[in-house]
Amino acid sequence: SMKEDVASAGCFNLADCQGSSEHLQTTANTTDNDCSQGSQPEPEPEMEKPVVDSDPAAEAEAAEGENAIDDPLSDQLRLLSLTEEGASPPESSEPASALAEDRPIDVREQRRALRQSKRHGGDNPPASTEVGYVYDKRMLDHKTGKGHPEVPSRISSIHAACRPLLGQCTSIDAVRASEEDLLLGHTPEHLAEVWRCCEGIKGKAVHHFDEDTMASAGTLEAALLAAGSTINMSMRVAMGELGCGLAVVRPPGHHACPCTAMGFCVFNNVALAALKVADTLGQRVCIVDWDVHHGNGTVDIMKHLGREDILYLSIHYWQHGDFYPGTGTPSSTGLDGSEVNVAWNQPGMGDPEYMAAFSSVVSPLLQEFEPDLILVSAGFDAARGDPLGGMDVTAVGYAAMTHQLLGINPKVVICLEGGYNLQSIAQCAKAVLQVLLDQDQDQDPLATLTLTLTLT
């Protein structure tokens, strides 16, 4: 059953993974709910980092023909285009149509195709293919104090990088979350505390919810807009008014718990959106969290409410519990298998490791769960160069993960969480938006990424 599969995969331990997907290991679910850590694999030589070739002649050559650019980035793209099963293409020279005739009928695949047909055709009108985009400069008014990494320029740098693509997007007005929507996942006491603290701030003063989480005079407005805009975007995609979307919002949300702000987060934007869609529309929702930190607040909200119908999948740095917030162990499976964690114990994990996790864990579980909507807690703090994350994911890696999600269900909402290197988050968010825009094209968006992105 799906619940048994998810519970088992909750102990999928990629924590000691180093190098390529050949090092993926699983651990059995033991009676003391503890995952055994396998022996450390021999490290492989570090593969060459993907480099974006911006040479105009090379770009023109690639645009005119179907041959891949012969450079390290093309090799990396071929690696990132692994099938979900990790299988190599068939060696037979027979046409694909002839090979298909000999394949056994996959009942689960037929069921998934039927669900896709019902979403985008059949008796229902076709879903929109518009790509929604939300950003509001009022969220810049949330101030965190000198030296804090969660700065207003995080979202303004993303917005500037995405500006050349915005003519292809549908701009969505930012809206405030209602008290009713906030109470879907937070307690009345938490709301009262946030209102009390924020409304009492004058001038440039900063209030500390905790040692990491600050509030200023503009925080309440920004937090309401971040939560409300994520909810609104998610509802519009779920109802078919939009095809997919990108929410460039702050403050982030996935550490915010039912009754407290923490980890730079005030309200849990993605958790509230998932609850709104599930409760209002009765749809199946999956949250994919690729922020380098585990989304403890999202998990706490679902446990607090006893929710088993929203699947939470996280890929994060764990370091045997020493990396903030210390939660998200591989053996933690949530309520009835509704939580699955891919927890790294070592820094430096990059595109190959993340794509191996997607191909071996995330994509198969999503295909089995068959969500009506996929929400992404999109922290870009696992990106190369981030001062807090210590990981090595590139813009191409984030694009590849987005591409895999769209192949499972095109109804995807990407919501900004962390990410503290301004250049990295701008590049990565732009790459993700480009893939959202290119999903209806005949060509693989990864194969043309270097031609459609200007990464600066």
Side-chain angles (χ1 to χ4, degrees):
S1 68
M2 173 59 194
K3 293 177 181 177
E4 291 173 347
D5 292 342
V6 174
S8 174
C11 279
F12 220 112
N13 187 2
L14 301 184
D16 294 314
C17 173
Q18 183 89 2
S20 71
S21 59
E22 296 176 358
H23 294 293
L24 292 178
Q25 297 179 351
T26 60
T27 57
N29 203 356
T30 58
T31 55
D32 60 357
N33 200 31
D34 199 9
C35 268
S36 59
Q37 303 290 336
S39 60
Q40 191 80 358
E42 289 289 331
E44 292 188 350
E46 185 175 346
M47 67 180 299
E48 186 173 355
K49 305 297 183 185
V51 178
V52 176
D53 188 351
S54 58
D55 178 60
E59 293 181 357
E61 180 182 353
E64 293 174 0
E66 297 180 354
N67 294 329
I69 302 174
D70 186 16
D71 64 10
L73 179 59
S74 295
D75 295 336
Q76 182 76 341
L77 290 173
R78 284 191 287 272
L79 172 64
L80 297 181
S81 299
L82 294 170
T83 64
E84 290 162 356
E85 295 81 8
S88 301
E91 297 180 358
S92 172
S93 60
E94 295 183 28
S97 57
L99 293 172
E101 294 176 359
D102 299 327
R103 294 173 182 166
I105 296 175
D106 189 331
V107 176
R108 290 187 301 176
E109 183 62 34
Q110 288 184 335
R111 186 174 73 246
R112 282 193 289 269
L114 179 60
R115 285 178 64 88
Q116 290 287 344
S117 174
K118 289 181 178 179
R119 289 190 188 108
H120 304 293
D123 297 331
N124 298 323
S128 170
T129 59
E130 296 180 16
V131 177
Y133 179 88
V134 62
Y135 166 86
D136 194 297
K137 63 181 182 181
R138 287 175 289 177
M139 286 180 274
L140 298 173
D141 294 333
H142 167 55
K143 309 295 184 182
T144 53
K146 185 177 180 179
H148 198 284
E150 206 288 285
V151 293
S153 52
R154 293 177 61 244
I155 60 171
S156 59
S157 65
I158 291 175
H159 185 61
C162 292
R163 188 173 285 114
L165 304 176
L166 298 186
Q168 305 172 56
C169 300
T170 299
S171 180
I172 305 301
D173 291 336
V175 297
R176 299 179 185 88
S178 67
E179 181 178 355
E180 178 184 4
D181 287 342
L182 294 175
L183 289 172
L184 289 172
H186 295 292
T187 64
E189 292 77 15
H190 177 52
L191 270 58
E193 175 68 7
V194 172
W195 255 262
R196 182 188 67 80
C197 293
C198 292
E199 291 183 343
I201 299 173
K202 305 297 182 183
K204 296 183 179 180
V206 174
H207 169 81
H208 290 241
F209 287 112
D210 60 26
E211 62 180 353
D212 298 316
T213 311
M214 318 302 186
S216 65
T219 293
L220 180 58
E221 176 78 348
L224 290 173
L225 289 171
S229 300
T230 304
I231 293 170
N232 181 46
M233 175 84 76
S234 301
M235 286 291 291
R236 295 184 67 171
V237 171
M239 293 187 294
E241 296 177 11
L242 296 168
C244 56
L246 172 64
V248 184
V249 298
R250 68 180 288 270
H254 73 153
H255 294 308
C257 297
C259 57
T260 186
M262 69 174 290
F264 311 167
C265 305
V266 179
F267 301 129
N268 198 311
N269 310 319
V270 169
L272 294 174
L275 291 165
K276 181 72 171 183
V277 170
D279 291 351
T280 305
L281 305 177
Q283 294 191 5
R284 296 162 66 85
V285 182
C286 178
I287 298 172
V288 175
D289 190 337
W290 67 43
D291 190 282
V292 78
H293 305 91
H294 179 250
N296 62 298
T298 303
V299 171
D300 285 353
I301 286 174
M302 299 308 167
K303 288 182 178 178
H304 178 74
L305 298 174
R307 300 298 291 252
E308 304 174 0
D309 55 330
I310 297 174
L311 179 61
Y312 176 79
L313 304 174
S314 178
I315 305 178
H316 56 272
Y317 188 21
W318 182 52
Q319 201 178 19
H320 300 289
D322 291 336
F323 192 73
Y324 185 89
T327 56
T329 68
S331 57
S332 177
T333 58
L335 294 171
D336 205 13
S338 58
E339 176 190 357
V340 178
N341 294 302
V342 177
W344 308 117
N345 278 333
Q346 299 177 11
M349 300 295 104
D351 296 352
E353 291 84 8
Y354 271 74
M355 286 310 299
F358 253 68
S359 298
S360 300
V361 182
V362 177
S363 291
L365 286 173
L366 280 172
Q367 289 175 331
E368 187 67 24
F369 185 70
E370 296 181 329
D372 298 295
L373 177 70
I374 299 173
L375 301 179
V376 181
S377 277
F380 295 113
D381 41 8
R384 178 180 298 170
D386 189 90
L388 301 184
M391 294 297 173
D392 197 40
V393 183
T394 71
V396 176
Y398 284 111
M401 290 189 284
T402 304
H403 183 55
Q404 279 211 18
L405 295 178
L406 291 168
I408 295 168
N409 186 342
K411 290 187 174 183
V412 173
V413 175
I414 309 289
C415 178
L416 181 65
E417 296 282 2
Y420 308 101
N421 179 307
L422 300 184
Q423 182 178 9
S424 294
I425 63 174
Q427 292 175 353
C428 295
K430 183 180 180 181
V432 166
L433 180 58
Q434 185 69 69
V435 173
L436 295 180
L437 290 166
D438 285 350
Q439 64 173 305
D440 293 324
Q441 302 298 318
D442 291 336
Q443 69 271 20
D444 182 346
L446 299 181
T448 59
L449 191 60
T450 57
L451 307 181
T452 55
L453 291 178
T454 302
L455 303 180
T456 57

